[in-house]
Amino acid sequence: IPMEFERQFIIVEVTISNKGNLDNWEFDEFYNLKESNEQFLPELKSQISQIIKEMEEWTPGKLIGKDVNSKIWLDIDLDKER
């Protein structure tokens, strides 16, 4: 499949505390990133981190009726609309 048909995306692993705070996030994987876009990776990571920092509290996970820490994976599409 030619590269122009491959979707470029980043997976970010986010930890949600039992209070609903986004305490930690890691950039897990970068998929199909075009070579011409690799130079923008530090800025992309910075912008994504800033957006996560500015998010309001999330609803924490629950286990047996108690709020618990949890993890989610955000799939962030880097392609313009198709």
Side-chain angles (χ1 to χ4, degrees):
I1 297 175
M3 187 66 169
E4 66 263 17
F5 298 114
E6 295 277 337
R7 185 172 75 95
Q8 298 181 89
F9 62 101
I10 297 175
I11 300 293
V12 182
E13 181 180 315
V14 180
T15 302
I16 304 166
S17 76
N18 60 355
K19 304 283 187 214
N21 300 315
L22 302 180
D23 286 341
N24 188 34
W25 55 91
E26 295 180 20
F27 293 90
D28 201 26
E29 295 286 338
F30 303 92
Y31 293 95
N32 304 320
L33 193 61
K34 295 177 185 170
E35 191 173 320
S36 60
N37 288 336
E38 286 181 12
Q39 64 182 323
F40 302 112
L41 195 53
E43 182 61 26
L44 281 169
K45 289 168 120 180
S46 176
Q47 287 183 14
I48 292 168
S49 290
Q50 189 60 39
I51 290 168
I52 292 172
K53 285 178 191 175
E54 292 175 4
M55 286 184 166
E56 295 182 12
E57 287 184 352
W58 286 41
T59 302
K62 287 200 180 285
L63 181 64
I64 312 173
K66 292 186 176 187
D67 292 342
V68 295
N69 296 339
S70 58
K71 288 188 179 187
I72 62 164
W73 288 264
L74 301 176
D75 176 338
I76 300 173
D77 198 333
L78 301 176
D79 291 321
K80 60 183 177 184
E81 283 189 47
R82 297 178 183 194

